[in-house]
């Protein structure tokens, strides 16, 4: 639909006047199909109520708000495009951490059964971590998909857009739980395990410390 503004006439204007009356325009507008000063003022009042620019013209956003019956829904979940870029960097650093521990394995291969047990435990934790990263990535991509759909749907179907906002809120909570719950415990266990490995590697302290220092640098970098 073309932008409706002062001076416009026709059925679209009639439909606009009816909609504004239904939304409580005061004084009520005559349904005459003539976009005059009264219709323009009614549009401005509605735009202010709907948190839109009160220019008195009915463009795409104003028409969508009128159809919706008020202020359009807003996306309350942060933009995930840039966030996922940072996440993928973290994922890559995690892969580097795993590579460092593999090198440590070569140094501790000669050590006692205790160190072998610690290494086996560490491998289990990395497998668990891999599932956490996969779930985190899946949820992040799901949110991006819904946010993209939100942008396309907002003016065409605001109610559907509102449901997408609710979906994103739910996914966002799940996203946080992955990190704050089992993933965080996994990280804490890995750090505790690293300390146990350092204590046991009395004959390979230098090599182990080099790799652990590299892991720490990546964590803080």
């Amino acid at each position: 639909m073309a932008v409706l503004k002062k001076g416009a006439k026709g059925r679209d204007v009639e439909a606009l006047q009816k909609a504004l009356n239904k939304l409580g325009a005061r004084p009520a507008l005559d349904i005459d199909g003539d976009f005059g000063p009264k219709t323009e003022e009614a549009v401005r009042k509605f735009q202010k109520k709907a948190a839109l620019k009160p220019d008195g013209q009915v463009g795409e956003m104003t028409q969508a708000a009128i159809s919706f019956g008020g202020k359009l829904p807003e996306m309350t979940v942060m933009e995930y495009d840039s966030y996922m870029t940072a996440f993928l960097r973290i994922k890559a650093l995690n892969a580097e951490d795993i590579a460092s521990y593999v090198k440590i394995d070569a140094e501790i291969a000669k050590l006692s059964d205790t160190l072998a047990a610690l290494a086996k435990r560490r491998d289990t934790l990395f497998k668990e971590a891999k599932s956490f990263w996969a779930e985190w990535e899946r949820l992040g991509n799901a949110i991006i998909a819904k946010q993209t759909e939100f942008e396309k749907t907002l003016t065409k179907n605001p109610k559907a857009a509102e449901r997408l906002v609710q979906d994103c809120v739910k996914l966002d909570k799940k996203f946080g739980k992955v990190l704050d719950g089992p993933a965080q415990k996994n990280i804490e266990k890995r750090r505790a395990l690293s300390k146990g490995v350092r204590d046991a590697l009395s004959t390979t302290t230098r090599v182990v410390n080099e790799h652990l220092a590299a892991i720490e640098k990546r964590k803080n970098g």
Side-chain angles (χ1 to χ4, degrees):
M1 176 175 142
V3 175
L4 295 177
K5 56 186 177 181
K6 189 175 180 181
K9 299 178 184 297
R11 293 183 179 179
D12 287 343
V13 177
E14 288 183 9
L16 170 65
Q17 291 168 332
K18 290 178 182 179
L20 289 172
N21 282 344
K22 186 176 180 181
L23 291 171
R26 292 292 181 275
L29 301 171
D30 294 332
I31 312 303
D32 56 10
D34 184 2
F35 198 126
K38 291 182 179 180
T39 300
E40 183 181 44
E41 181 59 26
V43 170
R44 290 183 191 277
K45 287 180 179 179
F46 173 80
Q47 287 172 324
K48 289 179 181 179
K49 189 181 297 184
L52 297 171
K53 180 181 178 182
D55 59 6
Q57 299 182 18
V58 182
E60 187 179 41
M61 294 295 286
T62 298
Q63 183 59 57
I66 291 173
S67 299
F68 185 58
K71 184 178 179 182
L72 291 170
E74 297 179 1
M75 176 54 66
T76 58
V77 175
M78 66 178 179
E79 290 293 334
Y80 263 71
D81 283 339
S82 58
Y83 194 76
M84 284 301 291
T85 297
F87 160 70
L88 291 174
R89 179 176 177 274
I90 293 172
K91 182 182 177 183
L93 290 176
N94 184 68
E96 291 180 27
D97 285 352
I98 294 174
S100 293
Y101 276 105
V102 169
K103 292 178 181 178
I104 289 174
D105 280 348
E107 298 298 322
I108 66 172
K110 299 180 292 184
L111 297 183
S112 66
D113 291 342
T114 300
L115 285 180
L118 290 173
K120 184 176 181 180
R121 176 58 180 158
R122 186 216 56 239
D123 289 341
T124 299
L125 291 173
F126 273 130
K127 288 179 181 178
E128 290 177 0
K130 186 177 180 180
S131 67
F132 299 146
W133 297 124
E135 177 64 2
W136 206 12
E137 186 172 9
R138 184 189 70 79
L139 289 170
N141 286 331
I143 292 175
I144 289 176
K146 287 186 178 294
Q147 289 180 327
T148 299
E149 186 179 355
F150 172 86
E151 294 297 331
K152 295 178 180 178
T153 307
L154 179 58
T155 58
K156 297 178 182 177
N157 190 343
K159 288 187 177 181
E162 187 176 43
R163 289 194 294 271
L164 288 169
V165 174
Q166 295 170 356
D167 289 344
C168 284
V169 169
K170 292 177 182 178
L171 287 170
D172 181 58
K173 289 180 180 179
K174 290 181 180 180
F175 190 94
K177 286 181 180 179
V178 173
L179 177 62
D180 296 335
Q184 183 60 40
K185 291 180 180 179
N186 180 275
I187 291 172
E188 292 170 358
K189 289 178 181 179
R190 283 159 51 193
R191 288 175 179 168
L193 186 61
S194 293
K195 184 180 182 302
V197 172
R198 286 197 302 269
D199 293 339
L201 291 176
S202 59
T203 60
T204 55
T205 299
R206 180 183 59 81
V207 175
V208 170
N209 284 341
E210 284 178 356
H211 289 297
L212 290 175
I215 292 170
E216 194 68 20
K217 183 178 180 180
R218 286 192 289 268
K219 182 183 72 175
N220 297 324

